[in-house]
Amino acid sequence: MSPHPRVGREHILDIAEKLFTEHGYKSASIRAIASECGVTNAAIYYHFPDKESLFAEVMQRHADNLREKMTIAGENIDFPREKLIAILKAYINTIAGQHAPIFMLRKDAKHLKKHGQHRAIWIQRVSQPLVKALQFAQEKNEIKTQPKAEEAASMLLGMLHGLAQQRRCAGIEGRAILEDDIEMVVNLFWEGIEKQ
Amino acid sequence: MSPHPRVGREHILDIAEKLFTEHGYKSASIRAIASECGVTNAAIYYHFPDKESLFAEVMQRHADNLREKMTIAGENIDFPREKLIAILKAYINTIAGQHAPIFMLRKDAKHLKKHGQHRAIWIQRVSQPLVKALQFAQEKNEIKTQPKAEEAASMLLGMLHGLAQQRRCAGIEGRAILEDDIEMVVNLFWEGIEKQ
């Protein structure tokens, strides 16, 4: 039987996420997290070998949540281009709703030893609904099979991030990307910039 | 007359770049930079009000160098699509040649107070040759005039960065982007992913 049956992993992750977000990775100690959970440090270490593992799970839970919202948004849409638009709208709307926390957490992740690995997991999880939608479009013979769906998904997300960065550099306040922009980006990705 | 006529700005910038790159922004002190230049701290402060300004100029010099290589690569090419390809090849080849230094410096820039501003200047300078090439294509009536050239340039660069990120996440060693990839990306941007 577990020595700490009443301290659930999910509860620890909730508290850890709150403290990492409020104080940053370095300042939020295992002791503070345990204290806020009302348990000993050992109860935390029972579930997570170290602080970095705990942080990595907080990030992965974020990625899973985002992926789920994207997947649900694209379900039951039969037209690949519209599927992509719906998935990306869910992506920007979810991120906009939690902007500060998730960016603060991801910035913090730069200090970690396995940063590259955490980042790769995060990106792969979040881009998965796009990859599936692009594979679906390839199977329907609507789009080219080169580049591969994984590469096409990363380029599509890159267009969106590039546009967001440009808007912020140009001094846009508030949300850099609106729902209309998603349609513009997907249409450009789909049809190209060439004048027909 | 200058009180430090024999210490040129360019020489200070060379030494500062070397020390920032080798030791990181925080560890490279004005004293160490002055010492390596063979002058007093005051000689440095004569040219730069503080360490952050010195760092910002190092970064901007990098951006100017990159921009110049991109501009030269695109000169005398009359076909807009080929111009874009040439400019982006110069971009990846220059960055590949100085990969570690420039990325280390840009990572360090995150600690600075005016980080957003430095970053905006960097991005605007580096994307300028692409913006001009896209405006040229718009004037020749070859591409759509919406999105604007600045936005189109940021999306094109974003595709490239997204692809590089995907390759690194997939465990590619060495150069993530090759010259052939540039042609693939520009062609996709130009014509879209849709099967004709």
Side-chain angles (χ1 to χ4, degrees):
Chain A
M1 216 186 123
S2 157
H4 304 287
R6 309 193 50 195
V7 194
R9 282 174 65 87
E10 287 302 310
H11 182 59
I12 295 171
L13 287 167
D14 287 340
I15 299 294
E17 179 171 338
K18 178 171 163 274
L19 295 187
F20 283 138
T21 308
E22 286 173 3
H23 307 295
Y25 177 72
K26 280 187 183 164
S27 305
S29 65
I30 288 285
R31 205 169 71 172
I33 293 165
S35 163
E36 181 113 358
C37 292
V39 299
T40 62
N41 292 9
I44 307 291
Y45 288 120
Y46 173 74
H47 291 285
F48 306 95
D50 51 34
K51 188 165 136 182
E52 181 162 340
S53 307
L54 177 55
F55 184 83
E57 288 223 29
V58 166
M59 290 304 296
Q60 285 174 24
R61 208 172 56 148
H62 250 290
D64 287 338
N65 175 268
L66 189 48
R67 174 175 61 178
E68 198 186 335
K69 292 209 164 106
M70 293 164 78
T71 302
I72 290 169
E75 269 173 8
N76 307 321
I77 301 181
D78 269 346
F79 301 101
R81 194 200 306 214
E82 278 64 40
K83 209 190 225 343
L84 288 174
I85 289 171
I87 290 169
L88 286 175
K89 282 184 180 174
Y91 174 73
I92 60 149
N93 290 333
T94 306
I95 283 184
Q98 51 184 211
H99 189 86
I102 209 169
F103 280 91
M104 204 177 148
L105 285 177
R106 292 196 67 192
K107 202 174 163 187
D108 259 0
K110 293 201 185 291
H111 304 297
L112 304 183
K113 277 185 214 140
K114 296 183 184 171
H115 170 233
Q117 199 176 316
H118 298 320
R119 184 172 163 173
I121 293 170
W122 203 90
I123 292 169
Q124 275 162 10
R125 289 191 185 199
V126 169
S127 58
Q128 193 218 36
L130 287 173
V131 172
K132 286 192 172 173
L134 287 162
Q135 284 167 340
F136 173 67
Q138 286 173 335
E139 283 156 20
K140 288 189 91 173
N141 212 25
E142 288 200 21
I143 63 169
K144 299 163 185 164
T145 51
Q146 283 299 327
K148 288 182 294 183
E150 290 80 6
E151 293 185 344
S154 67
M155 285 189 273
L156 181 53
L157 271 179
M159 289 173 83
L160 208 59
H161 292 155
L163 182 63
Q165 196 173 55
Q166 196 271 335
R167 294 270 172 84
R168 282 192 297 267
C169 289
I172 301 281
E173 303 275 336
R175 282 186 66 167
I177 301 288
L178 303 172
E179 291 206 345
D180 282 353
D181 294 317
I182 298 292
E183 301 196 16
M184 182 271 281
V185 169
V186 172
N187 289 339
L188 180 58
F189 176 76
W190 200 270
E191 297 167 10
I193 200 166
E194 190 178 16
K195 212 159 184 172
Q196 302 298 317
Chain B
M1 217 186 122
S2 156
H4 305 288
R6 308 192 50 195
V7 194
R9 282 175 65 87
E10 287 302 310
H11 182 60
I12 296 172
L13 287 167
D14 287 340
I15 298 295
E17 179 171 338
K18 178 171 163 276
L19 296 187
F20 284 138
T21 308
E22 285 173 3
H23 307 294
Y25 178 72
K26 280 188 184 162
S27 304
S29 65
I30 288 285
R31 207 169 70 172
I33 294 165
S35 163
E36 182 112 0
C37 291
V39 299
T40 61
N41 292 10
I44 308 291
Y45 288 120
Y46 173 75
H47 291 286
F48 305 95
D50 52 33
K51 189 166 134 181
E52 181 162 339
S53 307
L54 178 54
F55 184 83
E57 288 221 30
V58 166
M59 291 303 298
Q60 286 175 25
R61 208 172 57 150
H62 251 290
D64 287 337
N65 175 266
L66 188 48
R67 175 175 60 177
E68 196 185 335
K69 291 208 166 108
M70 293 165 78
T71 301
I72 290 168
E75 269 171 8
N76 307 320
I77 301 181
D78 269 346
F79 301 101
R81 194 198 307 213
E82 279 64 41
K83 209 190 223 345
L84 289 174
I85 290 171
I87 290 169
L88 286 174
K89 282 183 180 174
Y91 175 73
I92 60 149
N93 290 333
T94 306
I95 283 183
Q98 52 185 209
H99 190 85
I102 209 168
F103 280 92
M104 204 177 147
L105 284 177
R106 291 196 68 193
K107 201 175 163 187
D108 259 0
K110 292 201 186 289
H111 303 297
L112 304 183
K113 278 183 213 143
K114 297 184 183 170
H115 170 233
Q117 199 177 317
H118 298 322
R119 184 172 164 174
I121 292 170
W122 203 91
I123 292 169
Q124 275 162 10
R125 288 189 185 200
V126 169
S127 57
Q128 193 219 36
L130 287 173
V131 172
K132 286 193 172 175
L134 288 162
Q135 284 167 341
F136 173 67
Q138 287 173 335
E139 283 155 19
K140 287 188 92 172
N141 212 25
E142 288 201 19
I143 63 169
K144 299 163 186 164
T145 52
Q146 282 298 329
K148 287 181 293 182
E150 291 80 6
E151 293 185 344
S154 66
M155 287 189 272
L156 180 54
L157 271 179
M159 289 172 82
L160 208 59
H161 292 155
L163 182 63
Q165 195 173 53
Q166 196 270 336
R167 295 269 172 84
R168 283 192 296 265
C169 288
I172 302 281
E173 304 273 336
R175 281 187 66 167
I177 302 288
L178 304 173
E179 292 207 345
D180 282 353
D181 294 316
I182 298 292
E183 301 197 15
M184 183 272 280
V185 169
V186 172
N187 288 339
L188 180 59
F189 176 75
W190 201 269
E191 297 167 9
I193 201 167
E194 190 178 17
K195 213 158 184 172
Q196 302 297 317

